[in-house]
Amino acid sequence: MWTTIAAWLDFAPAIVLGLIILLAMTAAGWLGKRLRTWSDRDAVLTGQELKESQEGYLVSAVVGLLALLVGFTFSLAVDRFETRRSLVLQEANAIGTAYLRTQLLEEPHRARLSRLLVAYTENRLVLSKATDRSQLPALLARNDRLATDLWQATVAAFPTIRGYDFSSTYLESMNEVIDLDRSRKAARLVRIPTEVFVVLLVYMIVTAAVMGFVLIGPRGRATGFFLMFLTNMAVVLIIDIDRPARGGITEGQRPMEWLRDDMREHPPSTYDRFLLPEAPTREAPRS
């Protein structure tokens, strides 16, 4: 059941979710109004002032707790969004560092690893922006294949730099690239628990019913509906932020785009500008 609800929250259009939640809250408010009419049918005026005071405290408590739940859920969504956005910058920096250090290798390892890093970055960008679920398996398979190729090419190049202090630093940079791949995958899978969303939605519906029961008169009910509408907007925003790829608010890929453009503009040959040509070997003078 939880899996079905999670899939529904993840893939249903945000506008549709908002309308369904608002309709459910409106129906709950109407039910609360009907219950109030039924309870007041045989009511007497004795103690009416005390009753209204108690109802006012009840509405304040219920709405206050709803605001606390919405704020808590919003904090969870924003925290996960900030984590995903931070990992984009970290990965761009890691790939950029590995690309620059690759230029210190000898051929053919330099050209091979540079080409793989460019292809890996381009695939990461396409993967991060993919919204069609049918494309994800192929993109993920290509991503994993490129990561394996990167490490295999690093293993092949390692004997040529084994004797230099630079070798351990280069291995660390390639390890960081592969580790951040897993970190970004994990960050995209971590969502707000479905149970939290269900509890929040149930409490929103109960709150709407309580307001429909307590608030009387056209002005009171209009105020209650406006409050329900604002709460519904906040929840739809939370759901949207919690969607890494399908939401309208997603982590920007600008650092990765800058890196891709920079690597395209600066192929390996660019870094040979200040290399000195090898001096010709002089022949020994003949006696």
Side-chain angles (χ1 to χ4, degrees), residues 5-285:
I5 296 176
W8 181 65
L9 290 173
D10 195 25
F11 294 103
I15 297 179
V16 174
L17 286 174
L19 289 175
I20 292 175
I21 296 172
L22 185 61
L23 288 175
M25 295 177 69
T26 303
W30 179 84
L31 180 61
K33 174 180 175 296
R34 298 298 299 174
L35 289 174
R36 178 60 179 261
T37 302
W38 177 78
S39 65
D40 288 348
R41 182 177 302 171
D42 300 324
V44 295
L45 295 178
T46 305
Q48 183 69 21
E49 183 177 349
L50 177 61
K51 179 180 179 182
E52 292 179 355
S53 176
Q54 292 175 343
E55 290 175 350
Y57 286 128
L58 175 62
V59 171
S60 299
V62 170
V63 173
L65 183 54
L66 176 61
L68 180 63
L69 289 174
V70 172
F72 170 73
T73 311
F74 185 79
S75 177
L76 288 177
V78 171
D79 181 66
R80 284 154 173 76
F81 173 79
E82 289 295 334
T83 299
R84 296 195 300 268
R85 187 170 65 173
S86 175
L87 286 173
V88 173
L89 179 59
Q90 292 180 35
E91 184 174 40
N93 288 335
I95 296 175
T97 300
Y99 184 79
L100 291 177
R101 291 175 178 174
T102 297
Q103 309 315 311
L104 301 175
L105 301 180
E106 299 177 0
E107 296 292 356
H109 306 295
R110 182 175 73 153
R112 180 189 301 125
L113 279 163
S114 297
R115 184 175 62 255
L116 286 173
L117 285 170
V118 172
Y120 180 78
T121 303
E122 292 173 345
N123 188 74
R124 295 292 292 172
L125 276 170
V126 175
L127 180 60
S128 63
K129 297 178 181 181
T131 57
D132 187 357
R133 297 183 66 184
S134 62
Q135 298 178 352
L136 291 179
L139 292 172
L140 286 171
R142 175 172 169 76
N143 177 86
D144 295 340
R145 184 170 62 254
L146 286 171
T148 302
D149 291 344
L150 277 172
W151 189 247
Q152 290 174 344
T154 302
V155 171
F158 184 72
T160 63
I161 60 173
R162 186 193 301 272
Y164 303 117
D165 294 336
F166 158 76
S167 61
S168 59
T169 305
Y170 186 74
L171 288 180
E172 290 175 1
S173 63
M174 295 303 296
N175 275 330
E176 187 176 5
V177 171
I178 296 174
D179 290 343
L180 284 171
D181 168 45
R182 298 189 181 96
S183 297
R184 287 196 65 186
K185 287 179 181 177
R188 280 179 161 253
L189 292 176
V190 176
R191 310 289 181 83
I192 297 176
T194 307
E195 293 83 354
V196 173
F197 269 124
V198 171
V199 170
L200 177 61
L201 295 177
V202 169
Y203 198 85
M204 288 171 62
I205 294 173
V206 172
T207 302
V210 171
M211 288 192 296
F213 182 85
V214 174
L215 300 178
I216 58 176
R219 181 175 298 179
R221 295 192 179 98
T223 302
F225 181 82
F226 182 68
L227 180 60
M228 289 189 298
F229 179 76
L230 292 179
T231 305
N232 181 61
M233 288 181 59
V235 173
V236 171
L237 179 63
I238 292 172
I239 295 174
D240 188 83
I241 294 175
D242 198 46
R243 295 174 170 182
R246 296 179 58 85
I249 303 175
T250 58
E251 66 275 12
Q253 301 297 319
R254 188 60 59 85
M256 293 289 286
E257 293 173 351
W258 287 340
L259 172 65
R260 177 201 58 194
D261 297 340
D262 185 69
M263 289 191 297
R264 286 178 176 176
E265 294 174 2
H266 299 87
S269 59
T270 306
Y271 301 95
D272 296 339
R273 177 183 175 189
F274 295 108
L275 290 180
L276 297 176
E278 296 183 2
T281 305
R282 291 187 178 182
E283 296 182 0

